[in-house]
Amino acid sequence: MSYVEVPGAQVPIRMWTDPSSVEDGAMRQLQNVATLPWIKGLAVMPDVHYGKGATVGSVIAMQGAVCPAAVGVDIGCGMSAVRTSLTANDLPGDLSRLRSKIEQAIPVGRGMHREMVDPGRMHGFSTSGWDDLWSRFEGLSEAVKFRHERAEKQMGTLGSGNHFVEFCLDETGAVWLMLHSGSRNIGKELAEYHIGQAQKLPHNQGLIDRDLAVFVADTPQMASYRNDLFWAQEYAKYNRAIMMALFQDVIRREFKKAKVSFDPVISCHHNYVAEERYEGMDLLVTRKGAIRAGSGEYGIIPGSMGTGSYIVKGLGNESAFNSASHGAGRRMSRSAAKRRFSTKDLEDQTRGVECRKDSGVVDEIPGAYKPIEKVIDQQRDLVAVVAKLKQVICVKG
């Protein structure tokens, strides 16, 4: 589908979904964003839903300003995926051992490594920029200065919530490795600190929603936020790269006889800010629950833990600021999912997937998410499908 345009105070809201299907809370958030004086465009992805601070599935283009709550608290959260030389015929009948080995290699939830992972010892891992990342830690805001050791040990860890590591098959039977994570606690603390700082600034006192407080160009507060923001985005990218390298090492060991090889890794943020140019304007484009989908750029759009995911290639649609959805999108809150579904429902909806099926992940049940096929169909002018994946192992955070 092409987009539907909904009137907004400063700019029209371009929606790649039926506006009537958007929950009232999310629509109010979008209308509020459209009142910001600095806004130059607002695109809404088909996985749109209400979010803390700002709407998930929104792409906000502003000139000379950025809204930290519109990035979200998991700065740099995103996806990585890689196709392997393995096929379905190489897999054992029982995948529980492989799932256990993945969980041993990659800490989940609040877990962390005992010592910082040494990337120099990891097979094929590029350490370019690694030392520079850590040398810049002292330049971050005072709020996180004492978190250095924890940030080191959390590098290469999954986190919780909707983060996951998956072992998948595509429609040809090829095995893919895929994961979803972000900047862990260090990104969250930086985000929360700057959201609080922005809300104190005089120019934000008259906003319709205090969560939409912004930093403006050429101010010390903006400079501080940009420094921390771009560092956290880089941390998140390395976090996924370390996890993917750990994941690949597990696969090499478990399938030693197959001498597994890997294609280049596909990686994309979906909670971040980028400096981009549209219609002759230099803009700060915030994607919260959206990926960049420039012409020919690869992206990853996951469904839920029982439905599968898509590898896509961007079509470079500037009406959407070269963006696409970041996933299926929730159709109910976590608390609503826990009230609605049982562990029996979870077992039924994840049949055939080696994964947790206990009460701790009921909020991530496939029924809590929108149908991924419909979400993909609604953005055919944003991305082209390259591969459809179905998980056979899912490790949840």
Side-chain angles (χ1 to χ4, degrees), residues 74-78 157-158 163 180-184 235-236 239-240:
D74 194 359
I75 299 172
C77 185
T157 66
L158 187 62
H163 295 160
H180 170 212
S181 191
S183 53
R184 303 298 282 108
Y235 179 97
N239 185 41
R240 290 195 297 275

Side-chain angles (χ1 to χ4, degrees), residues 351-384:
R351 188 167 285 114
V353 181
E354 173 61 41
C355 64
R356 286 178 61 187
K357 301 177 192 283
D358 57 79
S359 60
V361 291
V362 166
D363 57 342
E364 281 293 299
I365 192 171
Y369 285 83
K370 298 176 183 179
I372 185 63
E373 289 78 15
K374 182 177 180 181
V375 168
I376 292 294
D377 189 59
Q378 289 177 311
Q379 52 188 326
R380 294 290 178 179
D381 61 337
L382 304 182
V383 293

Side-chain angles (χ1 to χ4, degrees), residues 255-268:
F255 297 92
K256 192 174 294 184
K257 291 183 179 178
K259 296 181 179 178
V260 187
S261 61
F262 303 91
D263 286 356
V265 175
I266 299 166
S267 185
C268 56

Side-chain angles (χ1 to χ4, degrees), residues 332-347:
M332 65 180 70
S333 69
R334 294 185 182 280
S335 57
K338 289 177 180 177
R339 291 193 300 269
R340 169 84 177 272
F341 297 108
S342 66
T343 53
K344 177 63 166 60
D345 296 322
L346 181 62
E347 290 172 7

